[in-house]
């Protein structure tokens, strides 16, 4: 193994690897479909899940599962003549799978037009940009959630839960459905859907701004009742989550903080009274990333404050990556995968520079509790 080392953590976790490649000359669409079907059968047997995105001559694939099985699979892919110019984009650990139930799904790119693969999957013959890959994977994750979605509200809908939260009193809050009580990611997905229902109700003048405030407050109480995520035992990176001073909505910041802590990141929640105090706090700390918690319901004044703060932070602290959240910033439950993907970005790194078989043996020994010496 020449360029890549993988620290094997205590206990078994999910290993995630994303790569891009070019299709061999003359490879037909029907052959790509066959490739995905064959991969699905083998991956199901080995406990690997993920998604394959194909556009013209470009492949983009996300693999997740036991590290030894993922690395052994990459050894086979590297030797497969149907792939060429294989580049590893990101490799690292996740607490849970992003595509459970998909041993391998063939997915379409986010945009389907003549500009592809240049607009989303990189220029022909060139390396794929990590940001472009992240957009494509988030599009696929949205499709996964849509297809795998369970009834999160015990026979009701997010709209009916939003109605209850607006109308109920603080002493008669409804219960969240069992799946959302048990699983943090599912709970975050439900928060997204309820906030979307709030936004539509507000835009359609079904509920007033005051009623939306009550509903968001009740939803925040339900989240807090289920307990906050503890600080990670092992630091997998740091992030500052900033609430713009004066913003009405803070639930998204709380949800992001819990999701990222559960993913092993050290989280600082910044709640200051004005922008200068916010900038001073951020200047005194050294987070790897800064996330601004924008509005998920979409009140105009909150969106304006979010945009202003993002501009001020980028001007004052230009060396820190700044991400803007809120409804336009993507699903809440995608934030751990998004920041982890950036944190673990490798280059792109030519897959030929990795001794995949040796790496898979090392990962198997670590999982089996054997010494690597």
């Amino acid at each position: 193994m020449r360029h890549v080392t993988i620290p094997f953590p205590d206990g078994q976790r999910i290993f995630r690897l994303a790569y891009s490649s070019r299709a061999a000359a003359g490879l037909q669409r029907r052959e790509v479909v066959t490739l995905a079907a064959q991969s699905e059968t083998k991956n199901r047997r080995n406990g690997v899940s993920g998604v394959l995105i194909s556009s013209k001559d470009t492949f983009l694939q996300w693999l997740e599962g036991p590290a030894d099985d993922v690395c052994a699979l990459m050894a086979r892919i590297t030797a497969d003549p149907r792939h060429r110019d294989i580049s590893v984009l990101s490799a690292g650990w996740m607490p849970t799978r992003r595509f459970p139930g998909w041993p391998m799904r063939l997915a379409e790119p986010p945009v389907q037009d003549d500009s592809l693969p240049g607009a989303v999957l990189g220029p022909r013959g060139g390396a794929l940009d990590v940001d472009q890959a992240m957009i494509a994977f988030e599009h696929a994750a949205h499709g996964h959630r849509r297809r795998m979605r369970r009834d999160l509200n015990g026979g009701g809908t997010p709209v009916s839960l939003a109605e209850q939260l607006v109308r109920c009193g603080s002493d008669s809050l409804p219960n969240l459905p069992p799946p959302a009580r048990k699983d943090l990611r599912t709970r975050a997905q439900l928060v997204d859907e309820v906030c979307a229902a709030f936004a539509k109700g507000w835009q359609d003048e079904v509920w007033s701004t005051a009623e939306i405030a009550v509903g968001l407050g009740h939803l925040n109480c339900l989240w807090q009742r289920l307990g906050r995520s503890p600080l990670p035992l092992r630091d997998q990176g740091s992030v500052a989550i900033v609430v713009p001073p004066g913003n009405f909505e803070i639930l998204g910041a709380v949800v992001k903080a819990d999701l990222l802590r559960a993913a092993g990141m050290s989280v600082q929640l910044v709640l200051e009274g004005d922008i200068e105090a916010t900038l001073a706090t951020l200047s005194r700390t050294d987070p790897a990333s800064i996330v601004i918690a924008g509005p998920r319901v979409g009140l105009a004044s909150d969106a304006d404050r979010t945009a202003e703060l993002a501009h001020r932070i980028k001007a004052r602290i230009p060396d820190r990556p700044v991400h803007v959240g809120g409804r336009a910033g993507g699903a809440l439950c995608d934030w751990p995968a998004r920041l982890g993907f950036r944190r673990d970005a490798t280059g792109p790194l030519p897959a030929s520079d990795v001794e995949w078989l040796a790496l898979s043996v090392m990962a198997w020994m670590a999982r089996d509790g054997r010494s690597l010496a």
Side-chain angles (χ1 to χ4, degrees):
M1 184 170 54
R2 299 210 312 256
H3 293 295
V4 171
T5 59
I6 297 177
F8 299 107
D10 295 334
Q12 182 180 353
R13 298 178 68 199
I14 301 300
F15 181 65
R16 177 259 300 126
L17 186 146
Y19 76 89
S20 66
S21 68
R22 302 292 169 181
L27 189 68
Q28 302 297 314
R29 179 66 180 180
R30 63 178 180 276
E31 296 175 272
V32 175
V33 174
T34 300
L35 173 64
Q38 293 171 343
S39 298
E40 181 175 357
T41 300
K42 295 176 182 177
N43 291 352
R44 189 184 304 276
R45 183 170 61 246
N46 294 326
V48 175
S49 52
V51 65
L52 173 65
I53 302 171
S54 172
S55 174
K56 296 184 180 178
D57 71 337
T58 302
F59 289 133
L60 181 62
Q61 189 162 19
W62 175 293
L63 302 170
E64 59 189 19
D68 52 337
D69 290 310
V70 171
C71 291
L73 175 56
M74 276 303 300
R76 296 192 294 272
I77 290 172
T78 303
D80 191 330
R82 293 171 293 190
H83 294 270
R84 58 186 175 87
D85 301 331
I86 305 173
S87 295
V88 179
L89 301 174
S90 183
W93 302 92
M94 302 190 303
T96 58
R97 295 176 186 265
R98 193 178 192 185
F99 297 98
W102 280 11
M104 185 48 57
R105 174 76 62 144
L106 182 61
E108 296 295 329
V111 180
Q112 301 179 52
D113 58 39
D114 292 338
S115 65
L116 283 176
V120 177
L121 298 187
R124 287 182 181 272
L128 188 69
D129 182 82
V130 170
D131 288 335
Q132 294 171 326
M134 190 171 66
I135 291 170
F137 285 131
E138 291 193 4
H139 176 81
H142 175 72
H144 176 270
R145 289 192 298 272
R146 186 172 62 249
R147 289 182 175 90
M148 305 295 286
R149 188 183 184 279
R150 294 171 291 183
D151 186 357
L152 299 179
N153 200 27
T157 66
V159 173
S160 66
L161 179 56
E163 291 173 344
Q164 294 178 65
L165 291 170
V166 169
R167 305 303 182 196
C168 71
S170 298
D171 56 350
S172 57
L173 295 178
N175 290 321
L176 291 179
R181 292 200 295 268
K182 295 176 182 178
D183 178 69
L184 184 64
R185 193 167 182 268
T186 303
R187 196 185 316 160
Q189 182 181 340
L190 179 60
V191 168
D192 260 332
E193 294 176 345
V194 172
C195 285
F198 283 150
K200 189 174 189 311
W202 178 66
Q203 291 166 358
D204 294 346
E205 299 185 348
V206 175
W207 299 312
S208 67
T209 300
E211 289 174 314
I212 295 295
V214 169
L216 283 170
H218 288 160
L219 185 58
N220 183 51
C221 287
L222 291 180
W223 185 278
Q224 301 287 351
R225 279 184 179 180
L226 294 173
R228 303 295 306 284
S229 295
L231 290 173
L233 295 177
R234 287 174 173 265
D235 188 359
Q236 300 295 320
S238 61
V239 60
I241 300 177
V242 185
V243 177
N247 260 27
F248 174 70
E249 299 179 45
I250 65 169
L251 178 58
V254 175
V255 174
K256 287 187 186 73
D258 284 349
L259 286 167
L260 294 172
R261 283 195 183 101
M265 300 191 75
S266 176
V267 180
Q268 176 189 16
L269 189 59
V270 179
L271 289 163
E272 297 287 359
D274 57 63
I275 289 183
E276 281 303 318
T278 299
L279 294 172
T281 297
L282 292 173
S283 298
R284 289 194 300 267
T285 59
D286 189 27
S289 299
I290 298 171
V291 177
I292 303 175
R296 304 208 71 77
V297 173
L299 302 182
S301 57
D302 283 2
D304 291 343
R305 280 190 285 265
T306 300
E308 180 185 359
L309 181 59
H311 175 75
R312 295 281 295 275
I313 291 175
K314 290 175 183 177
R316 178 76 67 88
I317 318 172
D319 59 328
R320 310 266 182 91
V322 178
H323 312 275
V324 179
R327 190 168 50 173
L332 285 167
C333 60
D334 275 337
W335 278 94
R338 177 183 302 163
L339 295 185
F341 190 87
R342 287 180 176 275
R343 178 195 64 214
D344 299 327
T346 58
L349 168 76
S352 58
D353 286 355
V354 182
E355 295 290 345
W356 294 106
L357 288 178
L359 193 59
S360 67
V361 171
M362 292 172 62
W364 174 79
M365 291 175 67
R367 183 168 60 148
D368 201 42
R370 304 186 185 190
S371 171
L372 298 179

